[in-house]
Amino acid sequence: MDTIASLFSFITTPVSWVIVQFHTVYGALFGPNTGWAWGLSIVSLVILIRICLIPLFVKQIKATRAMQTLQPEMKKIQERYKNDRQRQSEEMMKLYKESGTNPLSSCLPILAQSPFFFALYHVLNGIASGKKIGVIDEQLLASARQAHIFGAPLAAKFMDSSDKVAALGATLSDVRVVTALMIVLMSLSQFYTQRQLMTKNVDTTVKTPFMQQQKMLMYVFPVMFAVFGINFPVGVLVYWLTTNVWTMGQQMYVIHNNPTPGSKAQAAYLERLTKHVTQHGKISRRGEKAIVKAIVAKGRDRNEFERKFINALNKAGLAAQPDGTVVKSTVQAAAQTEDGTAAGTTATATAVRRQQPRRQTKAQRQSGVSKQADDSLSLEKSDEPQAAKPAAAAKQPQKPGGTRSKAQSGQRKGGPQRPKSPSKK
């Protein structure tokens, strides 16, 4: 334990100094030896650390969006090497390297908090054992040992003995009830944060190692908090519960205002945005303009929710512009169409669809051909001179056997026949 403390000694002194500064402020309001003064000092330390980590969180969001853009390529790799898991993993790693993304980027905020967490742990552990750490002197050490949070001493643990808890001025039942409640809240907040990320803010159309990683963290982290939480002092539990609540609220804000494309959160966000735009006829927020700009730039690559959004704007007589703004349009041809292309008509012209000829049936086509043939034949006959008719009739071929047809022998083709004259013997 001393070896670990020496490794984090470079951060222990700054952490203890920050706690003392906050304790000076809150001690003047609630009293220097109260649990409110020391507890709020730890909460303020968490808020300060998380504010400093906001740029890292923004980087995490960008890395997550980059992972989302690679999902079509990941899907191709999965289909190509679906029977070879090793080759599939190698191609995935190659794709990550070429694109400059890292699937472990979601763990960056937690890794960045680790030094502060261990430093606070050793500061509170020193308070429990009566050792001065960092800038905490004997007077502050005695004040911290007297501080209680809901009846539990700041430095008490769930696994402490009754004698050690009694030395801190508390009972074992109070300590275990408070620590158990904090551990449960800490685990539930962590589980809910990961669950809302998996169920609302992930594109479920493509199965990627990133999704498997998030699903694993959803169950692993709560178990880790429950197992290791029994060995954490009450002050550390306050720290970790506060940072979990901050993470949960931060995640809810991102899901509500900047959802992942193709997720359920994006469908809900675009539905809200459609109602707002159709009512006011414009987009004023910078974040909304950025999302609309990205949707317009996608063109044919839009997902189902984005196409519905563009179509809803067109039906309302609005058109999304490449800069993310929305303008009124009297002609829907000037707006973006469903497939992402723009109709090239002017504002005064109306969109007229090209009429396609109806397909005729086989009988209609045959009747049309025969009719054309009859018409052409009749025209040819009408152009022939009258003198040529006997010659043409003389050239008509006779039936084999020397017999003439009924028409040539004087018999009519239809109707009553002329009576035959009696033959002369």
Side-chain angles (χ1 to χ4, degrees):
M1 187 65 67
D2 293 336
T3 303
I4 298 177
S6 62
L7 292 175
F8 292 96
S9 59
F10 70 96
I11 196 68
T12 301
T13 301
V15 167
S16 62
W17 183 84
V18 172
I19 292 177
V20 169
Q21 301 306 314
F22 281 121
H23 176 263
T24 304
V25 176
Y26 293 119
L29 298 175
F30 303 101
N33 300 331
T34 59
W36 286 103
W38 287 99
L40 291 176
S41 299
I42 297 173
V43 172
S44 300
L45 173 67
V46 174
I47 296 174
L48 179 62
I49 292 173
R50 295 309 300 265
I51 291 174
C52 295
L53 292 179
I54 286 178
L56 187 60
F57 179 76
V58 173
K59 185 177 181 180
Q60 174 192 1
I61 294 297
K62 291 182 179 180
T64 304
R65 294 292 184 268
M67 291 289 296
Q68 294 293 333
T69 58
L70 294 179
Q71 286 191 356
E73 298 296 330
M74 294 178 184
K75 188 175 182 180
K76 293 180 182 179
I77 293 175
Q78 288 177 346
E79 294 177 353
R80 185 180 302 173
Y81 305 104
K82 59 182 179 180
N83 297 326
D84 191 351
R85 294 291 182 182
Q86 183 178 359
R87 182 65 183 278
Q88 186 181 122
S89 300
E90 292 176 357
E91 293 295 327
M92 288 288 188
M93 292 297 106
K94 183 178 179 181
L95 180 63
Y96 295 151
K97 185 177 180 180
E98 291 177 353
S99 60
T101 58
N102 187 0
L104 299 178
S105 59
S106 60
C107 299
L108 289 178
I110 297 176
L111 295 176
Q113 291 182 80
S114 298
F116 302 98
F117 171 76
F118 284 108
L120 179 63
Y121 176 83
H122 291 298
V123 168
L124 296 175
N125 190 48
I127 293 174
S129 58
K131 296 180 180 179
K132 295 185 296 182
I133 295 180
V135 298
I136 298 179
D137 54 13
E138 294 181 358
Q139 183 179 358
L140 292 173
L141 184 62
S143 175
R145 289 175 66 87
Q146 295 177 13
H148 290 67
I149 297 176
F150 300 108
L154 195 67
K157 304 176 185 178
F158 182 86
M159 299 301 294
D160 285 345
S161 62
S162 57
D163 296 338
K164 188 174 182 179
V165 173
L168 295 173
T171 61
L172 185 61
S173 59
D174 291 340
V175 171
R176 291 190 174 180
V177 168
V178 172
T179 53
L181 183 61
M182 286 186 176
I183 291 171
V184 171
L185 293 176
M186 188 171 58
S187 301
L188 288 178
S189 60
Q190 181 65 36
F191 178 78
Y192 181 78
T193 301
Q194 292 295 327
R195 181 173 175 79
Q196 72 174 351
L197 181 65
M198 289 295 300
T199 57
K200 297 181 180 180
N201 204 39
V202 172
D203 187 0
T204 57
T205 58
V206 181
K207 303 295 183 181
T208 62
F210 174 75
M211 294 179 60
Q212 298 297 328
Q213 172 200 354
Q214 294 295 326
K215 187 176 181 180
M216 180 184 66
L217 294 177
M218 183 174 64
Y219 295 100
V220 170
F221 277 158
V223 175
M224 289 176 57
F225 286 132
V227 172
F228 294 107
I230 58 177
N231 294 316
F232 290 162
V234 174
V236 175
L237 294 179
V238 172
Y239 171 88
W240 208 249
L241 178 60
T242 305
T243 192
N244 281 359
V245 172
W246 177 283
T247 303
M248 182 174 63
Q250 189 172 250
Q251 190 69 49
M252 292 175 65
Y253 177 82
V254 172
I255 291 175
H256 188 270
N257 295 283
N258 192 14
T260 301
S263 62
K264 295 180 180 179
Q266 189 195 30
Y269 176 83
L270 292 179
E271 185 177 355
R272 295 192 304 269
L273 184 60
T274 302
K275 293 180 180 179
H276 174 76
V277 174
T278 53
Q279 289 178 358
H280 299 85
K282 62 179 181 178
I283 296 178
S284 57
R285 296 181 181 178
R286 184 180 302 177
E288 294 175 350
K289 290 182 179 180
I291 291 177
V292 174
K293 181 179 179 181
I295 292 175
V296 174
K298 285 184 178 181
R300 296 180 182 272
D301 296 332
R302 296 174 190 146
N303 57 43
E304 179 184 359
F305 310 127
E306 294 166 348
R307 288 195 296 269
K308 288 182 179 179
F309 172 71
I310 295 297
N311 291 338
L313 293 182
N314 292 340
K315 291 180 181 179
L318 300 173
Q321 302 300 309
D323 60 350
T325 58
V326 173
V327 297
K328 293 183 179 181
S329 176
T330 57
V331 181
Q332 292 186 0
Q336 294 291 331
T337 56
E338 181 179 356
D339 58 354
T341 59
T345 58
T346 60
T348 58
T350 58
V352 180
R353 292 185 178 180
R354 184 178 298 175
Q355 299 292 335
Q356 298 293 336
R358 294 182 179 179
R359 186 175 181 179
Q360 297 180 348
T361 61
K362 184 176 180 180
Q364 291 175 347
R365 292 196 299 270
Q366 289 179 353
S367 63
V369 172
S370 61
K371 185 176 181 180
Q372 291 178 359
D374 294 340
D375 293 341
S376 61
L377 183 60
S378 61
L379 290 174
E380 290 177 359
K381 288 183 178 180
S382 62
D383 294 338
E384 292 178 356
Q386 297 293 332
K389 289 184 179 179
K395 292 182 180 180
Q396 290 181 355
Q398 297 181 358
K399 294 183 179 180
T403 60
R404 295 182 301 174
S405 64
K406 292 182 179 181
Q408 293 175 354
S409 62
Q411 298 294 331
R412 296 179 180 177
K413 290 185 178 181
Q417 303 293 330
R418 291 183 298 177
K420 294 181 182 181
S421 59
S423 59
K424 295 181 181 181
K425 292 183 180 180

